[in-house]
Amino acid sequence: MKILSDGRLKHIAIIMDGNGRWAKKRGLPREIGHRYGADAFRKTVEYCSKIGLRALTVYAFSTENWKRPEKEVKSILALLRQYVDECEKNIEKYPAYFHFIGDLAVFDDELRARIEKIEERTKDRPLVLNIAFNYGGRSEITQAFSQLMASGKREITEEDVAGALYTSQCGDPDLIIRTGGDMRISNFLLWQAAYAELYFTDVLWPDFNEDELDRAIENFYSRKRRFGGV
């Protein structure tokens, strides 16, 4: 376990991919893969808190994921509700500030109110946990520009845009990890990913664990970040 104390790695973002394929390899329904993926998510959050990470952003459900089979979508939404239930019951045990990002208008008023209450009760915790649900990078950027234009801004700077994004409170990710073998970012944190280090692994998300995260972190520390310089 590497304690992150030098300030080089503050924010990790993860595209949690491979739940369905993990289940298929075992002859199980895809929704079972999402359940095991939820366990991997919980363990990852706990570990990130232990090593001193300041922000973790996870891609839980994209704006494009609605195209998936109805049964699978319903199972993912049910898992979200279960997770909210769990957070409410064990809120003092969780080490993170829960921040749900994305278009949450798809949820009913009761669920949105519960999410807002969880966010309010955990806002002073050291690890910011951004849960991207019904999220799309292009949609986020469009929303940011619309917000700035509505405020009367005539000249918009990069700093203005960054301040209008969902991740404004924790900044851009230093490292983006994608599990499952695909080598793309799939409309995730498009603005924020400008200078992030990218790490791809064939490991399917339910099998992602502390050792796999350590490998990604070690790989990050082996790189020299130049940000356009030399």
Side-chain angles (χ1 to χ4, degrees):
M1 182 170 69
K2 183 178 181 67
I3 303 299
L4 306 176
S5 58
D6 63 1
R8 289 174 59 194
L9 180 56
K10 299 182 290 292
H11 183 179
I12 293 176
I14 305 178
I15 301 172
M16 305 180 295
D17 195 20
N19 291 336
R21 282 172 286 158
W22 184 91
K24 186 177 180 180
K25 284 175 62 176
R26 291 161 176 77
L28 301 170
R30 289 175 61 86
E31 51 267 28
I32 299 298
H34 293 299
R35 288 189 204 168
Y36 279 87
D39 289 338
F41 162 68
R42 292 183 184 92
K43 292 174 183 176
T44 299
V45 173
E46 291 174 5
Y47 189 63
C48 285
S49 175
K50 289 178 183 177
I51 64 177
L53 194 70
R54 298 182 190 174
L56 173 66
T57 301
V58 295
Y59 207 3
F61 191 84
S62 77
T63 50
E64 290 77 27
N65 286 156
W66 296 105
K67 302 172 187 176
R68 294 187 175 188
E70 183 179 359
K71 184 179 180 181
E72 182 177 350
V73 170
K74 285 183 176 179
S75 73
I76 294 171
L77 292 173
L79 280 172
L80 174 66
R81 287 186 177 275
Q82 289 174 19
Y83 192 64
V84 170
D85 290 343
E86 183 180 329
C87 288
E88 288 176 330
K89 293 175 183 175
N90 302 293
I91 200 164
E92 299 307 324
K93 297 180 181 179
Y94 280 93
Y97 160 43
F98 291 85
H99 183 221
F100 288 79
I101 64 176
D103 180 6
L104 305 186
V106 295
F107 301 144
D108 57 52
D109 292 343
E110 183 263 345
L111 182 57
R112 287 202 305 273
R114 292 170 65 196
I115 286 173
E116 289 173 5
K117 187 174 181 180
I118 290 170
E119 290 180 332
E120 178 63 26
R121 290 183 63 187
T122 59
K123 66 181 181 180
D124 295 325
R125 296 182 183 175
L127 172 65
V128 176
L129 172 61
N130 298 310
I131 302 174
F133 205 97
N134 196 29
Y135 171 90
R138 290 181 176 180
S139 175
E140 178 185 25
I141 294 169
T142 301
Q143 176 270 335
F145 273 94
S146 296
Q147 176 183 321
L148 292 167
M149 291 170 63
S151 72
K153 277 277 186 181
R154 299 188 60 146
E155 294 185 7
I156 297 175
T157 66
E158 290 188 12
E159 289 74 18
D160 292 330
V161 177
L165 296 175
Y166 296 129
T167 54
S168 60
Q169 61 191 332
C170 60
D172 298 342
D174 303 294
L175 172 64
I176 296 178
I177 300 169
R178 180 171 186 146
T179 63
D182 288 333
M183 300 177 72
R184 55 179 177 267
I185 59 174
S186 298
N187 199 20
F188 182 51
L189 302 180
L190 296 181
W191 179 281
Q192 300 93 323
Y195 280 104
E197 297 295 324
L198 305 180
Y199 180 87
F200 301 99
T201 174
D202 291 332
V203 173
L204 301 174
W205 176 248
D207 291 328
F208 194 82
N209 54 29
E210 296 178 3
D211 290 339
E212 295 297 335
L213 183 55
D214 281 342
R215 288 189 187 95
I217 291 172
E218 287 173 12
N219 184 273
F220 172 86
Y221 274 95
S222 73
R223 304 183 191 185
K224 181 178 181 181
R225 306 181 76 195
R226 292 184 290 274
F227 300 96
V230 293

